[in-house]
Amino acid sequence: MRLVLLLLILLMPAAAQAQDRTAVERDFQSWLQKRVWPDAQKAGVTRATFDAATTGLTLDWSLPDLQPPGAPPPKEQRQPEFQTPGRYISEDKFPALVSGGRAALKQWARTLDTIEKRYGVPREIVVAIWGRETAYGSVKPKNSAIRNLATVGFIGSRKSMFYPELIAALQILEGDHIPLVELKASWAGAMGQPQFLPTKFLRYAVDGDGDGRRDIWNSTPDALASIANYLKGHGWVAGRWWGTEITAGTGVACTLEGPDKPRPVADWLKLGAKPRTPALSGAPALPGHLLMPAGRHGPAFLVSENFYVLKSYNESDMYALFVGHLADRYRGDARIAGGWDALSGFTRNDVRDMQKRLEAQGHDAGGTDGLVGFRTRVAIGLWQQRSGREPTCFPDAELVRQAGR
């Protein structure tokens, strides 16, 4: 009898969890009809399209960052020891991508000719994004975009971000006539070869092969033209390259970094910046921006406004640098010359605490998200200057505990 009671006690949490999920699934069905359907209808989705997409739809409980009613907030996913930015762009990531990209440039040369003329975006940049996102279309997400977005839009920890993407995905089914079975995405709803979110698809996807459909899943011309259209729509300046690596002498202060501190390229050269290529030095009157993604602990770059257009594709300096460098590698074999110091001994929470201290002292650290963005890097450098230290503009294990104190 005691054994039976013990088994019942042990099984209670699982049973309660199953019961709770059943209740959440019921609420999900009500939410689909009472909230999603009216919003979809206002967005031009017909009842037939909505029913085809949602009949029999259930939540995908395997997705990350879910927060069902009554559940505690999801645990922080990024709390391992900090990794140096150089790991994102390490040399071992490039040989296969460079080889595949050069082959793709040849295979799709005629399509890319048309795209360059129409959008003013260099073919190498377009192909580099394609390679970074889905390895030239070889990586194919297999999840249902509707199910994933409905799940994270209902019980995800960032509902407000994903709910509009669900409505947009339904609009795609309605207006673009993409079969539901082909509307595949990553867990977060990024779709097709360019990995567009649905709202991005609606605004920037184009018909690149002239068949009357915007099919970024199966049509490479559509995918490539859509990437170029996105970059043009975000301000790509035709005729300017993204940037170049530089040797930053002592006259190039790391606190001068950022999109908000442009100077004519000629001024950077006078300060001692020595470009490795003539990519920007050939336009001395045009603005250039200093990029030091690891402060004095890594290489430095002089970038054009087009670098920040690349960054708009995925809000990360390292992503934009990866894409720009990959595009360079299609043209030649020059690796990034500057080394990346190995930095460790602190976590994202440590950085967040440091940012709070810096902001309390009046520095603009760009928020307290635990990420070492350019505003945090500049804030560190300014604090170091005021403290009588040599600015490095990037934390190490000791500095992350001291900065702002």
Side-chain angles (χ1 to χ4, degrees):
M1 184 65 180
R2 289 181 180 179
L3 180 59
V4 172
L5 289 173
L6 179 60
L7 288 172
L8 288 173
I9 292 171
L10 291 174
L11 289 172
M12 278 181 65
Q17 183 184 50
Q19 188 176 24
D20 289 343
R21 286 192 176 185
T22 299
V24 173
E25 290 281 3
R26 284 198 303 268
D27 292 341
F28 173 60
Q29 296 301 320
S30 177
W31 174 78
L32 287 173
Q33 299 303 322
K34 294 181 179 179
R35 182 181 178 190
V36 179
W37 162 239
D39 288 345
Q41 186 179 34
K42 291 176 185 176
V45 179
T46 63
R47 186 74 207 194
T49 296
F50 180 81
D51 286 347
T54 60
T55 298
L57 191 65
T58 59
L59 295 167
D60 185 348
W61 294 90
S62 70
L63 299 182
D65 294 328
L66 300 184
Q67 191 174 357
K75 294 181 179 179
E76 173 61 62
Q77 297 294 316
R78 289 177 280 190
Q79 284 308 305
E81 188 173 274
F82 176 85
Q83 302 292 334
T84 183
R87 293 196 62 170
Y88 186 95
I89 198 168
S90 60
E91 179 57 28
D92 63 339
K93 293 181 170 67
F94 286 93
L97 283 173
V98 170
S99 176
R102 289 175 178 171
L105 286 165
K106 291 180 180 179
Q107 179 181 358
W108 298 101
R110 294 182 63 182
T111 296
L112 291 164
D113 285 343
T114 301
I115 288 171
E116 275 190 334
K117 291 176 183 176
R118 181 175 298 168
Y119 301 104
V121 181
R123 64 187 65 206
E124 294 90 352
I125 292 291
V126 173
V127 171
I129 289 178
W130 185 34
R132 183 68 183 91
E133 292 297 334
T134 55
Y136 311 111
S138 65
V139 176
K140 301 181 184 297
K142 299 179 180 179
N143 298 326
S144 162
I146 297 296
R147 189 184 187 205
N148 282 14
L149 289 168
T151 298
V152 295
F154 182 61
I155 55 172
S157 62
R158 294 175 290 170
K159 303 180 187 68
S160 60
M161 171 183 172
F162 288 115
Y163 183 75
E165 301 299 340
L166 171 61
I167 301 301
L170 292 167
Q171 288 178 284
I172 293 169
L173 289 175
E174 180 69 42
D176 285 86
H177 309 292
I178 303 296
L180 179 63
V181 70
E182 293 183 15
L183 199 68
K184 302 296 185 182
S186 70
W187 76 264
M191 307 183 307
Q193 297 182 45
Q195 287 291 273
F196 277 4
L197 287 170
T199 52
K200 188 185 295 185
F201 175 97
L202 290 175
R203 186 168 182 180
Y204 297 108
V206 293
D207 174 18
D209 58 16
D211 69 352
R213 300 175 70 229
R214 303 186 294 176
D215 184 359
I216 61 172
W217 293 266
N218 304 301
S219 170
T220 293
D222 287 8
L224 296 176
S226 296
I227 292 170
N229 188 47
Y230 176 93
L231 296 177
K232 180 181 179 181
H234 281 75
W236 184 273
V237 179
R240 290 211 83 193
W241 196 236
W242 72 272
T244 183
E245 186 180 2
I246 63 171
T247 299
T250 56
V252 182
C254 58
T255 53
L256 297 177
E257 183 191 3
D260 56 346
K261 299 181 180 69
R263 292 171 178 242
V265 169
D267 287 2
W268 290 111
L269 301 181
K270 289 177 183 178
L271 288 174
K274 296 180 180 179
R276 293 192 67 212
T277 72
L280 298 181
S281 56
L286 293 175
H289 307 261
L290 180 65
L291 173 71
M292 299 183 75
R296 291 287 181 185
H297 292 287
F301 304 85
L302 194 59
V303 302
S304 75
E305 56 269 58
N306 284 339
F307 174 85
Y308 298 102
V309 176
L310 291 179
K311 186 177 175 179
S312 73
Y313 205 94
N314 182 329
E315 284 295 327
S316 162
D317 287 334
M318 296 308 297
Y319 175 89
L321 180 57
F322 189 106
V323 167
H325 181 60
L326 179 57
D328 286 345
R329 296 289 287 272
Y330 299 149
R331 296 180 167 193
D333 294 319
R335 302 181 181 186
I336 293 175
W340 305 82
D341 293 344
L343 301 168
S344 61
F346 57 96
T347 67
R348 183 171 170 179
N349 270 341
D350 294 328
V351 173
R352 187 181 288 115
D353 291 341
M354 177 193 66
Q355 289 170 325
K356 291 177 181 178
R357 296 194 302 269
L358 288 169
E359 296 222 329
Q361 288 193 5
H363 295 285
D364 179 10
T368 57
D369 57 5
L371 302 175
V372 189
F374 82 91
R375 293 193 187 280
T376 295
R377 297 194 291 269
V378 171
I380 290 170
L382 293 174
W383 175 83
Q384 288 173 313
Q385 284 181 343
R386 294 177 187 177
S387 303
R389 303 167 184 242
E390 186 69 25
T392 64
C393 297
F394 206 85
D396 54 31
E398 178 184 2
L399 190 145
V400 79
R401 288 188 285 270
Q402 295 181 356
R405 292 190 186 281

